[in-house]
Amino acid sequence: MRILFPCLAVVVLSVTAKAQSTWKIVPGKPQTSWVADVNPAKPLPEYPRPQLKRANWQNWNGLWKYAITPASEQNIPATFQGDILVPYPVESALSGVGKTVGKDQALWYSTNIALSKPSGTNQVILNFGAVDWQCDVFVNGKKVGRHEGGFDPFSFNITSYLGKGKQQAIALHVWDPTDEGPQPRGKQVKKPEGIWYTPVTGIWQTVWTEILPATHIASTKHTPDVDASQLRVSALVEGAQAGDIVKFVALDGVQPIGEVTVPSGVNADIKIENAKLWSPASPYLYNLKVYLYRAGKQIDYAESYFAMRKSSLLKDAAGINRMALNNKILFQYGPLDQGWWPDGLFTAPTDKALLFDIVKTKEMGFNMIRKHIKLEPARWYYYCDSVGILVWQDMPSGDLGGNHWDMRSGQVSGFNRDKQRTAESEGYYRKEWKAIMDAAHNFPSIVSWVPFNEAWGQFKTKEITEWTMKYDPSRLVNSASGGNFFYTGHVLDIHHYPDPQMPDPEVFGKSGQALVLGEFGGFGLPVDGHTWQDKNNWGYQSFKNKEELLQRYTRSMNDLKKLIPLGLSAAVYTQTTDVEIETNGILTYDRKVMKMPEQTLKQLHQQLYDVTVK
């Protein structure tokens, strides 16, 4: 054994050196400081799914081969054009490629992985955190399946496609029409400008495999019920047989505090006595162990976690509904967070970078983040759960245009009309919205779903909103943040730039909806040496220096504070960081410059939470 360790070190160093010699970041754009920590032999090595964690897994991030071909080409290319660093999208600097693909071309990936066919009845599951947009997966030249959806995780059982020996060939065919298709795509456009950004094509989250028994836990669902002091749990089991049972064990640290045993797909409740309630002030997480048994024998096991928290509305003394957490009115204030990176686009360069934005947001005194038209990797929500940040989760928009939208002086106008979307477009939206809600359900930090933003592709508003409320009654539903208003859902949300405003409480306060300012601010300050481009950067209202910016922000906080006693439940400031030519961030795009001091911001924000609401 003493002889093997140096040999292993030599092999690892050799692989790392080879990866570094064939990969270089594309120059010409700002870089975050975490670029120096990116190991091309092992980028983003962390386990990607904290809510269903297993020990037997392999990470396949690293250098793959890529080719860009005509979109009509359906055969795996005989030759490839170079290396691409997975999981950074092909347009990003960190991919080492930095090329645009577009609707008329396809992106191919290829790699060989060292993976033997498992023994007995065990199965190999190939997992993708996210691939944008249409993805065909091949193993050893044979097509395994197709997935459509740029934001939700997906998996394929590849056991029957594995060949003899340890080398298996994996290939992907990816097609993404960006803004020339009807699919959800967020702010990506083929010609970036203003508030619209660089396209993201291909793999942009971790790729990994797990070896699982033929019958295994495919997913779990846990929903806290604070009022009843219990946690509702269920599990879906792949390959379940009659008599198979799933046991959930809840733990406070390492101490078991409750358990329940159920068949696959059946709901049951675990009593959580004297629950420690989760909040931004006290983000307590319980551990959860999940066992699968057949005839008394354990055949699968996974680890998870949960929190006890309640998201609801409460009426104040004036009869206006307000957002509440754990049956207490809580003013929610946070930044619009778009989750873009100058070096990785949709993909943070490292796990520490992913955590940084959340920690910095908490240090600035915000208690909430509106995650804007993007679903993040699961680890991002795990960090929100751990750090203690409320999350409003947007649905990524798509199929824009064709709607009427108008807002005047904070008052809701009458020019509301749903978009008429095609059956194909509706199908893509509904499929991905359900997939997103399923993937993110177990994260307690998410307290609100936001199906639409500013009428962007907004359609069948009442139907979509009511479906969302029924599908997940444990959270609030903000029907259309700053969009067309149909008095459905829990929230009436306006956008007003640059100054804070609110819906008229005399008119809308008795509507039964919480009154929210879903976007305001947008104060711009380009910082020399830290911008996406040298000139023509943009902000809703631009300032010359940090002092002017802070004065303007302070004035807005004073104005915002006056709206809270009138019935305002929450507000969202635009935005956490600069994004491409938008310089509205509190931080520069490269995260290297704070435009306003954290401690000053924290003091200003604390005044909002200190406002007494009767």
Side-chain angles (χ1 to χ4, degrees):
M1 292 298 291
R2 291 179 182 176
I3 298 173
L4 290 177
F5 283 118
C7 293
L8 179 60
V10 170
V11 171
V12 171
L13 288 172
S14 175
V15 170
T16 301
K18 182 179 178 182
Q20 289 173 339
S21 67
T22 58
W23 170 83
K24 290 183 174 62
I25 188 169
V26 179
K29 292 297 183 183
Q31 298 178 14
T32 64
S33 58
W34 296 282
V35 165
D37 299 326
V38 174
N39 178 0
K42 198 177 181 182
L44 294 170
E46 297 80 11
Y47 189 83
R49 194 182 55 205
Q51 281 281 7
L52 191 65
K53 191 173 182 179
R54 292 186 174 92
N56 192 1
W57 74 290
Q58 288 179 278
N59 186 317
W60 300 113
N61 294 343
L63 287 174
W64 294 34
K65 299 295 182 182
Y66 84 93
I68 298 173
T69 70
S72 59
E73 179 57 62
Q74 297 299 310
N75 296 318
I76 300 172
T79 60
F80 286 80
Q81 295 160 8
D83 292 331
I84 182 170
L85 188 59
V86 170
Y88 305 104
V90 66
E91 296 90 350
S92 72
L94 277 170
S95 72
V97 180
K99 294 179 181 178
T100 301
V101 181
K103 74 176 181 66
D104 297 323
Q105 300 184 109
L107 173 64
W108 285 89
Y109 291 86
S110 175
T111 191
N112 290 320
I113 63 175
L115 183 69
S116 300
K117 196 166 186 176
S119 59
T121 61
N122 284 346
Q123 307 289 296
V124 176
I125 308 300
L126 177 61
N127 301 292
F128 297 88
V131 180
D132 195 356
W133 171 71
Q134 183 188 87
C135 173
D136 293 330
V137 177
F138 300 81
V139 175
N140 293 321
K142 296 180 180 180
K143 184 175 176 178
V144 177
R146 168 175 288 184
H147 178 267
E148 291 179 334
F151 298 88
D152 55 306
F154 62 98
S155 304
F156 289 113
N157 186 329
I158 64 171
T159 312
S160 63
Y161 297 87
L162 298 178
K164 296 179 180 179
K166 294 185 177 180
Q167 291 297 311
Q168 314 294 339
I170 308 293
L172 270 67
H173 172 273
V174 179
W175 178 70
D176 180 15
T178 310
D179 55 333
E180 295 184 273
Q183 82 290 349
R185 43 89 178 176
K187 285 197 171 184
Q188 306 172 57
V189 294
K190 64 178 181 179
K191 295 181 179 179
E193 60 179 347
I195 64 169
W196 308 103
Y197 315 137
T198 302
V200 169
T201 303
I203 300 170
W204 66 274
Q205 290 186 34
T206 291
V207 183
W208 81 104
T209 53
E210 294 175 294
I211 298 177
L212 302 176
T215 301
H216 58 265
I217 302 159
S219 65
T220 64
K221 184 176 183 180
H222 14 105
T223 308
D225 186 338
V226 167
D227 295 336
S229 299
Q230 63 189 25
L231 179 76
R232 173 148 291 190
V233 294
S234 64
L236 289 178
V237 176
E238 181 70 26
Q241 297 181 12
D244 290 351
I245 57 171
V246 180
K247 183 170 79 169
F248 291 86
V249 180
L251 302 98
D252 185 348
V254 297
Q255 180 66 40
I257 57 172
E259 65 178 60
V260 68
T261 302
V262 292
S264 172
V266 176
N267 292 322
D269 299 315
I270 304 176
K271 200 71 176 176
I272 309 296
E273 300 287 359
N274 302 313
K276 301 173 183 178
L277 301 184
W278 183 98
S279 70
S282 180
Y284 190 80
L285 300 177
Y286 290 91
N287 293 317
L288 188 66
K289 295 185 177 182
V290 191
Y291 303 85
L292 176 60
Y293 291 100
R294 174 175 294 161
K297 181 181 178 181
Q298 180 183 316
I299 59 175
D300 194 17
Y301 167 74
E303 296 179 352
S304 188
Y305 68 90
F306 68 95
M308 297 298 292
R309 69 99 185 90
K310 179 182 178 182
S311 178
S312 63
L313 298 179
L314 281 180
K315 288 189 183 296
D316 63 15
I320 297 175
N321 265 325
R322 294 184 183 258
M323 287 181 159
L325 185 72
N326 302 329
N327 295 318
K328 295 180 181 179
I329 292 171
L330 174 67
F331 186 76
Q332 299 184 20
Y333 182 55
L336 193 76
D337 191 308
Q338 308 206 55
W340 284 74
W341 300 83
D343 33 38
L345 300 180
F346 264 10
T347 310
T350 68
D351 196 60
K352 287 183 178 179
L354 196 70
L355 174 60
F356 173 85
D357 280 5
I358 298 164
V359 170
K360 188 61 65 174
T361 299
K362 188 76 178 281
E363 289 175 350
M364 289 187 279
F366 294 106
N367 66 3
M368 175 264 284
I369 290 171
R370 180 179 169 206
K371 179 46 63 176
H372 194 39
I373 54 178
K374 179 194 179 191
L375 184 73
E376 290 285 2
R379 292 187 66 84
W380 187 87
Y381 299 94
Y382 165 66
Y383 286 137
C384 288
D385 295 343
S386 303
V387 171
I389 289 281
L390 305 171
V391 175
W392 296 6
Q393 179 59 55
D394 287 10
M395 168 62 180
S397 53
D399 200 2
L400 279 60
N403 298 64
H404 285 285
W405 177 79
D406 190 26
M407 183 64 58
R408 297 173 184 152
S409 302
Q411 306 304 312
V412 179
S413 81
F415 294 92
N416 297 323
R417 190 180 75 188
D418 273 333
K419 179 182 175 67
Q420 300 299 311
R421 292 173 76 156
T422 66
E424 179 188 39
S425 174
E426 280 197 29
Y428 288 142
Y429 176 97
R430 292 177 188 272
K431 181 175 68 172
E432 192 144 9
W433 186 220
K434 179 181 181 298
I436 284 171
M437 291 181 67
D438 288 341
H441 178 86
N442 290 343
F443 298 113
S445 54
I446 299 176
V447 294
S448 181
W449 298 116
V450 186
F452 298 109
N453 174 74
E454 287 188 357
W456 296 353
Q458 186 177 338
F459 74 102
K460 295 184 178 178
T461 307
K462 289 186 177 181
E463 181 184 334
I464 296 296
T465 302
E466 289 168 8
W467 178 88
T468 304
M469 294 169 69
K470 184 178 180 180
Y471 195 64
D472 184 6
S474 72
R475 292 177 168 96
L476 299 178
V477 178
N478 182 352
S479 174
S481 183
N484 289 328
F485 303 92
F486 292 88
Y487 304 106
T488 182
H490 301 106
V491 175
L492 179 61
D493 177 334
I494 69 166
H495 294 179
H496 193 279
Y497 288 97
D499 298 296
Q501 283 286 353
M502 67 178 290
D504 187 339
E506 295 297 321
V507 177
F508 303 106
K510 302 301 189 294
S511 69
Q513 295 171 297
L515 307 179
V516 162
L517 175 59
E519 291 180 29
F520 80 101
F523 302 145
L525 176 64
V527 179
D528 288 344
H530 300 275
T531 55
W532 183 249
Q533 57 191 30
D534 292 334
K535 58 182 180 179
N536 299 324
N537 291 289
W538 178 85
Y540 285 93
Q541 185 178 7
S542 294
F543 297 87
K544 296 179 181 178
N545 54 56
K546 292 181 179 181
E547 291 72 26
E548 284 186 2
L549 176 64
L550 181 58
Q551 289 175 5
R552 183 69 175 85
Y553 187 84
T554 301
R555 193 169 83 231
S556 287
M557 290 302 96
N558 291 331
D559 292 340
L560 184 62
K561 185 168 60 176
K562 296 172 185 176
L563 301 177
I564 299 173
L566 302 179
L568 187 68
S569 263
V572 177
Y573 177 78
T574 302
Q575 60 188 334
T576 309
T577 73
D578 297 344
V579 183
E580 299 201 353
I581 72 166
E582 271 193 82
T583 56
N584 305 310
I586 299 174
L587 284 151
T588 54
Y589 199 13
D590 58 14
R591 277 74 168 173
K592 293 178 180 178
V593 179
M594 279 287 303
K595 301 180 188 179
M596 294 181 282
E598 293 101 316
Q599 198 57 40
T600 303
L601 291 175
K602 187 173 184 178
Q603 293 170 357
L604 289 171
H605 300 160
Q606 186 59 47
Q607 295 175 28
L608 305 177
Y609 311 134
D610 289 341
V611 173
T612 301
V613 176
K614 298 180 180 179

